[in-house]
Amino acid sequence: MADKFEQAATLLRDAYGGATVPPLRDYLDPVDTDGAYAVQAINTRYWEAAGRRIVGRKIGLTAKAVQQQLGVDQPDFGVLFEDMEIADGGVLPPERMIQPKAEAEIAFILGADLAEPGIDRDAMAAALASVAPAIEIVDSRITDWKISFADTVADNGSSAMFVLSNDRRPLDGLDLWSCGMVLELNGAVASLGAGAACLGHPLEAACWLANTLAERGDPLRAGDIVLTGALGPMVEIAEGDAVRATVGGLGSVSFTYGERT
């Protein structure tokens, strides 16, 4: 079985060159949680050994409808590397993308370690240094996004890049439950949502992640970035698109996909 995991990890790494791969049915059962995270971990170790630096985690599958679609009852997570971040207002390099989509999220920046399980919303709130609107650019190395739960987990949570707003605020006084979200594509509204769409509350999503990682012996640390999950439907993007997300009480964040023509 370990050989199959290594083979799946190699297929996914090679697909970053732009040639997608079929769903990983020959290597993973569609709902094999442990196997999928084992494949993800193989590639995480590979990339760390190559010099990439982990700066946080992303949470996916926070919408119940998407969980039901993939036949699971829990979110998933992936790793954020330093070279995945684009500056607010910056340019997303097309050569690094395959079949990208964008989604608006709320990001947490931690000010303290969360090393022990049993983290609740109060503990999470106390550990936060700041909160910011964010855009995650998701991508899949699986052809035509025909993913199962195991496919997306093994593929580092279908992650690609992310953008954090320059405007970061303390949690105090923020309403992260009823805050509205608007995602614009070239100035037109493309997606709408709210904080409650993220596993009921972004803090709940972050608690799930912190407890899951603490139980795995790989806890969140001070300085880590946590992308807590989509606030509304993701949107496909094409070269030249200008993308902006605005979250009530938090502000806006934006990027352009390649140079505008």
Side-chain angles (χ1 to χ4, degrees):
M1 186 62 73
D3 286 346
K4 283 197 170 185
F5 294 164
E6 290 283 355
Q7 291 166 11
T10 300
L11 281 174
L12 290 170
R13 283 202 310 273
D14 290 347
Y16 277 80
T20 57
V21 299
L24 303 171
R25 303 292 185 270
D26 292 340
Y27 309 94
L28 288 166
D29 183 89
V31 291
D32 183 355
T33 300
D34 291 340
Y37 279 116
V39 174
Q40 183 187 124
I42 289 168
N43 279 338
T44 298
R45 291 193 296 270
Y46 176 91
W47 283 317
E48 281 192 289
R52 299 179 75 186
R53 187 172 75 89
I54 295 174
V55 295
R57 300 290 194 282
K58 56 83 43 100
I59 308 171
L61 306 183
T62 50
K64 292 298 183 183
V66 179
Q67 291 181 14
Q68 291 168 2
Q69 180 184 357
L70 296 183
V72 295
D73 60 359
Q74 62 180 320
D76 71 350
F77 67 83
V79 175
L80 300 178
F81 291 98
E82 186 176 35
D83 60 5
M84 293 168 62
E85 184 171 3
I86 304 165
D88 189 3
V91 176
L92 172 65
E95 62 272 14
R96 293 188 62 176
M97 300 295 103
I98 304 172
Q99 42 191 355
K101 303 181 182 185
E103 56 188 32
E105 308 196 7
I106 290 172
F108 293 155
I109 296 88
L110 296 183
D113 294 350
L114 292 169
E116 300 297 328
I119 298 151
D120 59 15
R121 281 172 59 164
D122 288 341
M124 177 59 65
L128 296 186
S130 59
V131 183
I135 302 171
E136 183 184 3
I137 299 95
V138 292
D139 204 350
S140 181
R141 273 51 67 176
I142 307 298
T143 302
D144 296 329
W145 278 93
K146 295 186 181 302
I147 57 173
S148 68
F149 177 75
D151 290 323
T152 190
V153 169
D155 191 19
N156 197 29
S158 299
S159 62
M161 310 285 277
F162 66 97
V163 193
L164 293 183
S165 174
N166 291 327
D167 189 6
R168 304 178 188 187
R169 306 187 182 193
L171 179 64
D172 289 349
L174 295 177
D175 176 5
L176 300 186
W177 180 70
S178 66
C179 62
M181 178 279 294
V182 179
L183 181 68
E184 298 171 88
L185 198 63
N186 302 318
V189 175
S191 178
L192 296 170
C198 180
L199 212 66
H201 195 291
L203 282 172
E204 291 291 348
C207 287
W208 172 84
L209 176 68
N211 287 313
T212 298
L213 291 177
E215 289 165 2
R216 289 172 171 267
D218 186 23
L220 292 170
R221 299 295 186 186
D224 278 353
I225 299 162
V226 176
L227 300 182
T228 57
L231 303 183
M234 66 179 67
V235 298
E236 294 185 12
I237 57 175
E239 273 194 67
D241 283 345
V243 183
R244 175 178 295 274
T246 303
V247 180
L250 277 176
S252 297
V253 58
S254 67
F255 73 93
T256 302
Y257 181 25
E259 300 296 336
R260 301 207 67 180
T261 56

